[in-house]
Amino acid sequence: HFSSTDCLITSVLFAATSHAMINPLVAIFVHDYLHSSLEEVGIIISILFFSAFLAKIPIGLLLKSNRILLTLTISTVIITIIPYLYSIADSLETMIIFRVIGGVGMALHLISGLSSISLVSDRNDSGKAMLTYTAIISIGLVIGPGIGSMLVEIIGIRGTFVAASLIALPSVLFSLF
């Protein structure tokens, strides 16, 4: 029997792994498949993190405790869909739009995930739950690039983006509990 805390921790493992699978591949994809300059590659990489940075303050101010779990589920859907959208990107402009949406989704996910774990965990164990949650994020970020690198050899970059969306799919299901 999985507790709500266990479900959130499992959800973030799939989400972080998916994100880390594709992050190293985005630069290669933008350069080689969308024929972008190195300067444009730098912009594409930065824009995800810049949009996440800009979104965090308003998200933090607007997020209400009675909507945190709903926000987590919505953000999990966004970050699950984004890798697939990368796979169909056919221009630099399209990729910029997808990266901005992904950055906002990432900011929503981070804030609502940390807030959710503190809400659903037992008050006596909330510190341990937060520690476990953030450690699991780190595990996903460590194993994701290896999985992505292996898959790109087998199914190519676009296929790896699709696979990352499929790997993130259980995170949506686990965020519902």
Side-chain angles (χ1 to χ4, degrees):
H1 161 281
F2 264 22
S3 68
S4 294
T5 302
D6 294 335
C7 288
L8 288 174
I9 288 169
T10 304
S11 174
V12 80
L13 175 63
F14 285 104
T17 301
S18 169
H19 175 75
M21 280 175 60
I22 62 167
N23 216 32
L25 301 176
V26 170
I28 297 165
F29 177 75
V30 170
H31 186 264
D32 293 355
Y33 290 78
L34 300 182
H35 311 291
S36 300
S37 69
L38 293 178
E39 292 82 13
E40 291 168 330
V41 170
I43 290 168
I44 287 291
I45 297 303
S46 312
I47 204 158
L48 175 95
F49 300 104
F50 187 69
S51 60
F53 164 74
L54 290 178
K56 283 181 184 174
I57 293 172
I59 289 168
L61 295 173
L62 295 173
L63 195 61
K64 305 283 187 219
S65 62
N66 62 341
R67 300 208 190 268
I68 289 175
L69 294 173
L70 174 62
T71 304
L72 178 65
T73 300
I74 291 167
S75 68
T76 305
V77 168
I78 292 169
I79 64 173
T80 297
I81 293 170
I82 286 298
Y84 171 75
L85 293 177
Y86 291 171
S87 78
I88 62 170
D90 60 356
S91 70
L92 185 64
E93 295 78 18
T94 305
M95 197 66 173
I96 288 171
I97 292 167
F98 294 158
R99 294 289 282 178
V100 169
I101 294 168
V104 172
M106 188 171 79
L108 274 170
H109 195 264
L110 180 64
I111 293 168
S112 61
L114 289 170
S115 299
S116 296
I117 203 74
S118 68
L119 282 177
V120 302
S121 62
D122 183 334
R123 291 261 181 229
N124 297 327
D125 290 333
S126 64
K128 180 182 172 191
M130 282 283 218
L131 175 67
T132 304
Y133 187 84
T134 56
I136 292 297
I137 291 172
S138 296
I139 290 170
L141 295 176
V142 168
I143 64 174
I147 295 169
S149 296
M150 287 187 295
L151 284 176
V152 82
E153 288 295 320
I154 300 166
I155 58 177
I157 288 181
R158 289 186 192 268
T160 302
F161 289 154
V162 173
S165 278
L166 294 173
I167 286 173
L169 199 55
S171 67
V172 175
L173 301 176
F174 281 105
S175 74
L176 296 172
F177 295 102

